[in-house]
Amino acid sequence: MGHWRERPITILGSTGSIGVSTLQVARHLGIPVHTITGHSKVDELARQVVEFRPRKVVVSDPGAAPQLRHLLKGVAVVIEAGPEALVHAASHPEVGAVVTAIVGGAGLPATLAAVRAGKRVCIANKEPLVMAGGLIMAEAARSGAAILPVDSEHSAIFQCLEGHRGHEVAELLLTGSGGPFRTVQDLSQVTREQALKHPTWSMGPKITVDSATLMNKSLEVIEARWLFGIEPGRIRVVIHPQSVVHSMVAYRDGSVLAQLGLPDMRTPIQYALTFPEHTAGEVAAPDFARLSSLTFEEPDRRRFPSLDMAYAAARDGGLAPAVMNAANEMAVAAFLNGRIAFLDIFRTVERALGQLANRADPGLDDILAADAEVRARLARI
Ligand code: NDP
Ligand code: MG
C-alpha cells in the first residue's frame, strides 16, 4: 500500500459534498491530487482544476466535455470524458489512494477498477458495496487492495475493531441521527424541502433523502456486513439524534467501544487517507463540557419500513440488495423532482423487491442487468 504521503490521490466525484471535503483534507495534509472527476457541475470542476492543479480531470458525462475543454483552454491538464475514463482514472498506476465519492450505483465500475488495481480504496460511495459487496471484497482479497471506510459509522466501527478479532465481537451498533422526521408521526404530507433539512449533517441531496427514509441506515447495514464480514443479524441500528457517537462495537464480555467526534466528514475522510496514523486535522474534538446530553433510542420500524426491507434483502442475498438499491435511487430521484410523495419511496422499493426473480451467487453481469432492468421498468412509470 505504501506510505500515504508517497503517492498522489484520485477523487472520484470531487464536485460533490464528500469530494469537496476530500479536497480540503488533501490541501491540509499536503497530498498531491492526481485526478479529479465530476459529472454535471462543469464550472465547479474547472475551478477545482485551477485551484488544485491535478494532472488529469474527467467529466463522466460526455455531453459536458466541450464546455469543460472551453473553460480550461490554456490550462496544463489532461482532459478526458465518459464513464470509461472514470475506470482508467481509478486504476492509474501513479495513484496511491482513490477516494470514491460518486453518488449511487454509477460508481460501481470505477470502484471495482480501483480495487482490482490494488489501490488504497477509501469508500464513501456505499451503493456499489450494497449492490456487489461480495464481489468487491473478493477482488480486494485477490489484489491486496486496502479498503478503508469513509462513511462515518463504518470508520467508527473500523477503529473500534482495531487490534481485535472477529470472534470477540457480539454486535456492531450502527448509530443514526434518525433524520428530520424522527418525531414526525404522519409522513404522508412531508415535503421535499423538509426532507432536505438534515438535523446534524450537511450532505448531497440523495443521501439526505435516504437519511429521512432511514434507507441510508438500511444501506449502511449491508455496507457493514461486507466491510466487516459479519452477518446482518449481529448488526443493530440505534438512533442517536446528536450524531456524536459515530458507532460502537459490543464485545462478548459486555465491554462496548465507541468512537466519537463532531459530525464533520473531514475526520473520517482524513483517517481513511492516513490510516494507521491519526494526524493533525482541521476538525476539533467535541467539547464535552458543552454537550448537554447524548441520547439513544430504538428506530421506529413501522414508520420507516426501509430497515426491515434491508434486513430481508441482506438475508435473501443474491440480487435483492442491488434491486433494493436501484429502486431506491429511482424513487429518490422522482421524489426530488416532485413526481412522487415521500411514502411512495417505500412503496416503490417494496414493489421492486416483490417482483424480483432472485438467484444465488450472481456475477457482475447479473447484478448490472438486474440494476438496469429495475431502472428501465421504473423509468417507464
Ligand atoms: P453529491 O451529490 O454531493 O456528489 C455526488 C458526486 O458524484 C458529484 O461529484 C457528482 O458530479 C458525481 N456524479 C453524480 N452522478 C454521477 C454519474 N452518473 N457518474 C459519475 N459521477 C456522478 O453526493 P455526496 O458527496 O453527498 O455523496 C457521495 C457518496 O458518498 C454517496 O454514495 C453517499 O451515500 C456517500 N456518503 C456521503 C456522505 C456525506 O456526508 N455527503 C456521508 C457518507 C457517505 P456533479 O456534481 O458534477 O454532477
Ligand atoms: Mg453514514
Side-chain angles (χ1 to χ4, degrees), residues 127 206-207 209-210 213-216 219 306 321-335 340 345-346 348-350 352 374-375 378:
E127 293 89 350
K206 192 261 178 180
I207 185 177
V209 174
D210 283 348
T213 56
L214 294 203
M215 184 52 93
N216 182 48
L219 299 173
S306 43
V323 165
M324 180 183 87
N325 177 68
N328 180 59
E329 281 191 39
M330 292 297 284
V332 170
F335 172 70
I340 64 172
I345 300 175
F346 298 127
T348 306
V349 175
E350 194 171 23
V374 170
R375 287 173 199 264
L378 289 174

Side-chain angles (χ1 to χ4, degrees), residues 176-180 193-203 207-212 216 241 243 263:
S177 69
E193 283 60 40
Q194 291 169 322
L196 285 173
K197 275 211 187 77
H198 195 278
T200 50
W201 293 95
S202 153
M203 312 180 285
I207 185 177
T208 304
V209 174
D210 283 348
S211 300
N216 182 48
S243 302

Side-chain angles (χ1 to χ4, degrees), residues 4 7 14 18 37 66 74 99-100 108 120 144 170 173 200 240 248 252 261-262 290 292 295 354 356 359 367 381:
W4 58 269
R7 286 196 289 165
S14 64
I18 292 285
T37 88
V99 178
T100 71
L108 174 56
R120 175 187 287 231
L173 301 170
T200 50
H240 166 49
M248 305 178 261
R252 291 174 30 155
L262 292 180
R290 282 159 163 268
S292 51
T295 60
L356 162 70
R359 58 181 294 174
I367 291 170
I381 55 178

Side-chain angles (χ1 to χ4, degrees), residues 126 151-154 175 201 207 216-217 220 223 265:
K126 64 192 84 181
D151 212 349
S152 55
E153 296 77 3
H154 304 74
T175 55
W201 293 95
I207 185 177
N216 182 48
K217 217 44 56 188
E220 288 181 356
E223 180 185 13
M265 288 306 293

Side-chain angles (χ1 to χ4, degrees), residues 151-232:
D151 212 349
S152 55
E153 296 77 3
H154 304 74
S155 176
I157 291 169
F158 180 76
Q159 292 175 62
C160 295
L161 287 171
E162 276 176 51
H164 295 279
R165 302 230 300 257
H167 69 263
E168 302 169 56
V169 173
E171 267 186 330
L172 305 183
L173 301 170
L174 200 61
T175 55
S177 69
F181 303 140
R182 181 175 61 91
T183 58
V184 177
Q185 292 309 315
D186 178 8
L187 295 175
S188 63
Q189 306 297 325
V190 299
T191 66
R192 174 184 183 277
E193 283 60 40
Q194 291 169 322
L196 285 173
K197 275 211 187 77
H198 195 278
T200 50
W201 293 95
S202 153
M203 312 180 285
K206 192 261 178 180
I207 185 177
T208 304
V209 174
D210 283 348
S211 300
T213 56
L214 294 203
M215 184 52 93
N216 182 48
K217 217 44 56 188
S218 307
L219 299 173
E220 288 181 356
V221 168
I222 302 178
E223 180 185 13
R225 173 242 174 103
W226 294 119
L227 285 174
F228 307 115
I230 188 165
E231 63 272 29

